[in-house]
Amino acid sequence: MTSEISSVTATAALAQAQRSAANTGELLKLLQPLETLMQPGDTAKAEVLAVKQVLQDFQLLLALTLSNGKSLTVQVGAGQPLAQGTQLLVQKLFSEQLMITTPTAGDRGSLTELDTAQLPLGTLLQGKVLTSIALPPQVPGAVAQYRNTVVLLNSALAGQSLSVDSPAPLRLGSLLSAQVQGPQQLRFVQVGNQLDQLEVSQQRSTQQARQVALPSLLALVQNAQANSSLPTGVQQSAQALLASLPSVAQMADPKVVAQAIQNSGIFLESSLLTGQHRPELAAPDLKTALLRLVAQILPNLPDASEINPATLATLLQAVLRNPQAYRLRNAFGAASPVAAPSEADGDFPLPPRHSEPGDDEDDLQSLLRLASGVLARVQSHQLSSLEHSGPQPDGKLLNTWQLEIPLRHFGEVVPLQVRLQSEERDEPPARDPDGNPLPKQKVWRLELAFDLAPLGPLQVQAQLQEEQLSSHLWAENPTTAALVQSQLGYLRERLGAAGLTVGELDCQVGKPVRDSRAPLTQRWVDETA
């Protein structure tokens, strides 16, 4: 009797919840059956992976995490868009519907009017276009109007969506800047072709959460090669990756250093654009070698036996978009979670993240996961270079190149992280008495970070201005700090012999203090221009 009463009570409560959700419009229609995975009344955590406009409605791709820990992806229909990344709590109803039980910014509907007390006139709003729908004409022959949904990315309303009418459709996914002119009036701001720094920052955080340190991959490669468990094509790509790594001793040659920087992978896209990339080279850059390795792995996975090359190309793109979480065998199912970076994680030096093969993975599956994770690490360096480049608020122009050079050292791989920056005034050059332009005065900064046995973690910061060099070193091992301090006189002599004026040189125990609250210059691209 007790079970019957409980069942009736639960049924009544669920029916009431369904009616309440229907009245508020918080229902999502399942486009594929969940069968026995979720029973009426069951709840699950959900994240919006993608949003797609279909006529006047929307289709969402949700990643569900069930109460038993299982994960799956489902497609649902919705009456309004939810921003990608929105976190939800959903409940299964009796019909093929999910009810949103936790209100989020995306669930409150799109704003049609701005509160000028929160957003005074002249406030610069920045947002991303989610949808663009043609409105039916009010009278025959009237000028066409489009209703656009824009998710706001800054201000006190960040995360909320804004309904904007425009005489032309706005490109889906484009980034906009607009100035508040009134409660229902915006003026779009054209900002030229400057880089969207906030988008870069968000992408860098995503890639950093997925990154894996290269030694984890190389250890698996060496072990698999010793066991002869790799297909021929995969083994050749892995050997090319290993052969491309210089040794610590070779880095004493400036030409080897220059080549190692060039082969770090951060210049791949620029070399492709300028036509300087040479794919026939036996020792390609790191990113090219990783891409070739992933491309060789995909067709050899058991799940790929009946997949054509065009589909494999699509899957390769999926690997790069979601490297560490990706599995071919559940490409259309759930992706395993990725670790979010902690607040202590900075962009330099990039913290190491090691990964061991999973119990349910064979060598190829582990190799795919680790290779795509190392790709994410290279892309983290690329995005960090972009994030820290461009005009600064004080009028200076900053260029940054951040990269990582894996070095072979007594059978191990030691990653050497490098950040090189040049700073100059963004103004016309000064001229000599004859009117000839003088070279701009630049300040060069170099940062190094590495962990070389038996010295332990070391970081170096150096600055060069008008041939005057100063440097600070930090060693986490006190014995190493004392050793470096004792050699600073010899270093000063060598630098002086190279023609440099040497300023301050010192070595401290610990690591440099970095201000995580440093302001970020945000510049936006209007892709509809």
Side-chain angles (χ1 to χ4, degrees):
M1 182 66 68
T2 303
S3 62
E4 291 179 2
I5 293 175
S6 300
S7 177
V8 171
T9 303
T11 300
L14 194 58
Q16 175 62 31
Q18 182 168 352
R19 287 193 297 271
S20 174
N23 291 334
T24 58
E26 297 175 353
L27 284 179
L28 304 176
K29 182 181 179 182
L30 286 165
L31 300 180
Q32 62 189 78
L34 288 179
E35 299 175 346
T36 59
L37 295 176
M38 286 188 73
Q39 299 296 328
D42 289 349
T43 60
K45 294 180 180 180
E47 179 182 3
V48 179
L49 298 181
V51 57
K52 177 182 178 182
Q53 181 179 333
V54 181
L55 299 178
Q56 302 298 315
D57 295 321
F58 306 91
Q59 289 184 3
L60 309 176
L61 182 63
L62 300 182
L64 299 185
T65 303
L66 307 181
S67 57
N68 59 8
K70 292 185 178 180
S71 300
L72 68 153
T73 56
V74 296
Q75 286 188 329
V76 297
Q80 59 184 5
L82 297 178
Q84 185 176 353
T86 299
Q87 302 292 322
L88 305 170
L89 185 65
V90 299
Q91 186 176 36
K92 177 70 165 57
L93 302 181
F94 287 109
S95 59
E96 291 300 312
Q97 290 177 316
L98 296 176
M99 179 184 69
I100 300 173
T101 58
T102 299
T104 65
D107 301 326
R108 295 194 289 266
S110 297
L111 299 174
T112 58
E113 186 172 341
L114 297 175
D115 182 357
T116 54
Q118 282 187 300
L119 304 174
L121 300 183
T123 300
L124 184 66
L125 293 180
Q126 300 166 336
K128 186 172 184 177
V129 179
L130 290 182
T131 64
S132 186
I133 302 173
L135 298 175
Q138 298 295 326
V139 295
V143 178
Q145 289 287 321
Y146 295 84
R147 180 151 296 167
N148 312 279
T149 303
V150 179
V151 61
L152 298 178
L153 301 174
N154 72 332
S155 79
L157 302 180
Q160 295 196 38
S161 58
L162 184 65
S163 182
V164 179
D165 290 349
S166 63
L170 301 181
R171 187 192 308 172
L172 299 185
S174 60
L175 302 170
L176 305 173
S177 292
Q179 197 173 45
V180 177
Q181 300 289 297
Q184 292 184 307
Q185 185 176 4
L186 295 173
R187 180 175 65 86
F188 288 110
V189 178
Q190 303 291 339
V191 293
N193 294 322
Q194 291 180 314
L195 183 66
D196 172 10
Q197 291 288 68
L198 183 56
E199 181 76 4
V200 169
S201 178
Q202 292 170 340
Q203 289 292 333
R204 179 187 60 78
S205 297
T206 300
Q207 294 297 330
Q208 184 172 327
R210 297 165 175 164
Q211 61 93 7
V212 175
L214 183 62
S216 296
L217 171 64
L218 296 181
L220 179 61
V221 167
Q222 292 171 335
N223 182 64
Q225 286 184 326
N227 298 331
S228 301
S229 60
L230 297 179
T232 303
V234 177
Q235 186 168 354
Q236 291 176 348
S237 296
Q239 288 174 344
L241 175 61
L242 291 171
S244 66
L245 307 182
S247 67
V248 171
Q250 289 175 321
M251 293 292 283
D253 185 345
K255 293 182 179 179
V256 175
V257 174
Q259 189 62 47
I261 293 175
Q262 187 66 37
N263 287 348
S264 64
I266 70 164
F267 302 109
L268 172 61
E269 287 77 8
S270 61
S271 64
L272 289 171
L273 288 173
T274 58
Q276 297 176 354
H277 183 65
R278 297 176 60 189
E280 72 278 3
L281 291 178
D285 66 81
L286 179 61
K287 191 171 184 181
T288 299
L290 289 167
L291 287 169
R292 288 178 178 176
L293 179 59
V294 170
Q296 288 290 339
I297 294 172
L298 285 175
N300 286 282
L301 289 174
D303 313 68
S305 57
E306 298 181 357
I307 298 179
N308 60 44
T311 305
L312 284 175
T314 302
L315 294 177
L316 177 57
Q317 293 177 1
V319 169
L320 300 182
R321 285 194 302 268
N322 192 4
Q324 191 174 352
Y326 183 79
R327 299 285 193 284
L328 182 61
R329 62 177 178 272
N330 61 354
F332 304 102
S336 57
V338 295
S342 67
E343 293 183 1
D345 287 354
D347 55 359
F348 190 90
L350 191 62
R353 183 171 289 117
H354 300 285
S355 180
E356 299 295 332
D359 295 335
D360 61 337
E361 296 178 331
D362 60 23
D363 284 347
L364 281 178
Q365 291 165 341
S366 296
L367 202 58
L368 173 63
R369 177 172 57 84
L370 295 179
S372 55
V374 178
L375 270 169
R377 188 174 178 91
V378 175
Q379 290 169 170
S380 296
H381 288 305
Q382 290 180 296
L383 292 166
S384 189
S385 300
L386 295 174
E387 184 180 3
H388 294 283
S389 296
Q392 304 300 298
D394 58 1
K396 295 178 181 177
L397 181 62
L398 187 66
N399 290 307
T400 301
W401 298 269
Q402 182 172 316
L403 53 105
E404 191 163 5
I405 303 173
L407 303 175
R408 289 183 285 109
H409 180 61
F410 295 116
E412 297 182 352
V413 174
V414 178
L416 170 64
Q417 296 192 54
V418 181
R419 176 184 276 180
L420 181 64
Q421 292 182 310
S422 71
E423 181 186 284
E424 63 183 355
R425 283 285 176 184
D426 188 16
E427 58 189 16
R431 297 182 179 274
D432 62 18
D434 297 329
N436 299 317
L438 297 173
K440 288 187 176 183
Q441 296 297 322
K442 286 187 178 182
V443 178
W444 290 91
R445 297 187 180 90
L446 174 67
E447 293 186 69
L448 304 175
F450 55 94
D451 185 351
L452 187 65
L455 299 178
L458 275 161
Q459 294 192 46
V460 181
Q461 293 181 356
Q463 177 174 301
L464 176 64
Q465 184 174 11
E466 296 182 358
E467 298 186 354
Q468 180 170 348
L469 178 74
S470 60
S471 180
H472 300 268
L473 299 92
W474 287 263
E476 296 185 26
N477 187 335
T479 304
T480 301
L483 175 62
V484 172
Q485 186 71 38
S486 67
Q487 298 298 313
L488 290 182
Y490 175 67
L491 176 61
R492 184 181 293 273
E493 292 178 4
R494 292 291 302 273
L495 293 173
L500 296 172
T501 301
V502 184
E504 184 180 3
L505 290 178
D506 67 22
C507 182
Q508 304 175 29
V509 178
K511 59 180 66 176
V513 177
R514 300 181 185 274
D515 186 2
S516 61
R517 299 169 299 173
L520 171 65
T521 303
Q522 298 178 6
R523 297 183 298 279
W524 292 81
V525 178
D526 184 353
E527 295 182 356
T528 64

